[in-house]
Amino acid sequence: MSTTVTAKGQVTIPKPVRDLLGIVPGSKVDFRRVADGSVVLARADKKQPVSRFARLRGHAGEGLTTDAIMAMTRGEG
């Protein structure tokens, strides 16, 4: 992915990169030079972005109880 530097020295971080790192408006980022001379962009707070699975956790809503599910799997219900 590439992006263009503005006259003010600003760039837009591509959406796939923002999504990957969990960068949202107001997030702070670090730029670090690594041993091979390249520059790495990272979240300044070092938090790992929430996984897509974690975001789904708890969103099934109210449903059957564990006992009801077990009864169904046993053919009791």
Side-chain angles (χ1 to χ4, degrees):
M1 288 176 263
S2 63
T3 187
T4 303
V5 179
T6 69
K8 291 183 174 183
Q10 299 170 331
V11 296
T12 299
I13 302 169
K15 183 166 179 11
V17 175
R18 293 191 317 265
D19 291 346
L20 177 69
L21 297 176
I23 295 172
V24 295
S27 294
K28 296 205 181 281
V29 296
D30 282 332
F31 295 91
R32 288 188 227 120
R33 187 168 180 195
V34 292
D36 68 0
S38 60
V39 176
V40 175
L41 169 71
R43 286 177 57 141
D45 61 10
K46 312 260 190 287
K47 288 183 184 175
Q48 293 294 321
V50 176
S51 77
R52 63 183 179 204
F53 302 110
R55 279 184 279 200
L56 294 173
R57 187 174 295 136
H59 288 277
E62 301 243 350
L64 299 172
T65 65
T66 303
D67 291 334
I69 294 169
M70 293 305 293
M72 284 177 33
T73 59
R74 293 183 191 121
E76 298 170 0

